[in-house]
Amino acid sequence: WASLLRNTNNKAAKGSSDVSWMLFTAASHLNSLSDTVMDSVHVARLNLLVAKIAISKGAFGDALTYLKAALNRLEDNHTPNGDKVLAIKRSWKHHYELRLELLNHVTESERSLGDFESALEHAQEIFDNARTLSDQFRAQSAFILVHFAMDREGSVWIEEGLNILAKHGMANISPQPHIGNVVQEVLKLKMAL
């Protein structure tokens, strides 16, 4: 199974459409089976691959279906007595990279579809569990874009953006800069390069 997935993955990565339909069919079929039939992590990875193909074609709704199926597989793999919170914690512990990538895609897809509240919830899960600041970057970008879409005229998105920049060591940035601030920052950037 693993070598078939690897071979198919290579062809799909090269844009071979004759393989994509097989991946979608396989993912849909495996999603309908119980966790005891197939390794949940392999099924989650297949769902991620299929979701990436869907995203590349602009099918964010379909991508979300596969991404959420992948997250459910990871959680089901670690659910003792149906404790969802514990399952999520264990999923982060045992499959950190996979869960991070899945949630980044979920957050970005939800933002693209206008499901802002869900996007913010998933971004918050990343903020709460990411090991490094750089692991939060994609979620931070989606977080700012969601706030911008929800509050174009207000200043919430600016404040959130400034908070994120402060976490990255860029404190003391004015929410309403004047030309002097801009020139100063451009000079700092040129010196850093």
Side-chain angles (χ1 to χ4, degrees):
W1 158 255
S3 94
L4 173 65
L5 181 58
R6 216 177 5 261
N7 186 26
T8 309
N9 189 6
N10 291 337
K11 288 181 181 178
K14 294 176 185 172
S16 178
S17 63
D18 62 323
V19 172
S20 294
W21 72 269
M22 289 188 282
L23 293 172
F24 280 90
T25 302
S28 294
H29 177 69
L30 292 172
N31 287 340
S32 70
L33 301 174
S34 74
D35 289 342
T36 57
V37 176
M38 193 71 203
D39 178 20
S40 294
V41 176
H42 287 301
V43 175
R45 289 186 194 286
L46 176 61
N47 276 292
L48 174 60
L49 175 62
V50 170
K52 286 179 178 181
I53 294 168
I55 289 168
S56 75
K57 298 181 183 314
F60 295 104
D62 293 337
L64 266 177
T65 299
Y66 291 105
L67 292 166
K68 288 182 178 181
L71 287 170
N72 287 335
R73 285 292 177 148
L74 287 182
E75 291 161 15
D76 290 346
N77 197 32
H78 297 288
T79 306
N81 304 324
D83 186 346
K84 181 97 169 158
V85 173
L86 184 57
I88 290 171
K89 286 181 182 180
R90 287 183 175 177
S91 174
W92 275 106
K93 181 179 178 184
H94 297 290
H95 306 290
Y96 177 82
E97 295 295 330
L98 180 56
R99 186 161 186 94
L100 178 64
E101 186 171 5
L102 286 166
L103 279 172
N104 274 318
H105 284 295
V106 166
T107 303
E108 292 162 349
S109 295
E110 287 170 338
R111 181 197 58 82
S112 295
L113 291 170
D115 187 358
F116 300 140
E117 293 302 321
S118 293
L120 291 175
E121 287 174 23
H122 287 111
Q124 189 60 52
E125 182 180 337
I126 293 171
F127 300 155
D128 293 342
N129 292 284
R131 293 178 184 158
T132 66
L133 200 52
S134 63
D135 286 349
Q136 295 181 21
F137 185 76
R138 285 176 60 190
Q140 289 171 335
S141 297
F143 186 79
I144 294 302
L145 291 169
V146 165
H147 279 290
F148 176 71
M150 292 171 55
D151 186 40
R152 289 179 193 266
E153 301 301 320
S155 61
V156 172
W157 66 275
I158 294 171
E159 292 169 21
E160 293 295 346
L162 291 173
N163 289 337
I164 288 171
L165 288 173
K167 290 178 184 178
H168 288 274
M170 295 180 238
N172 302 324
I173 297 175
S174 171
Q176 297 178 335
H178 31 68
I179 193 67
N181 298 112
V182 174
V183 170
Q184 183 181 11
E185 293 303 317
V186 168
L187 289 174
K188 284 182 188 177
L189 178 62
K190 285 183 180 182
M191 291 175 59
L193 295 175

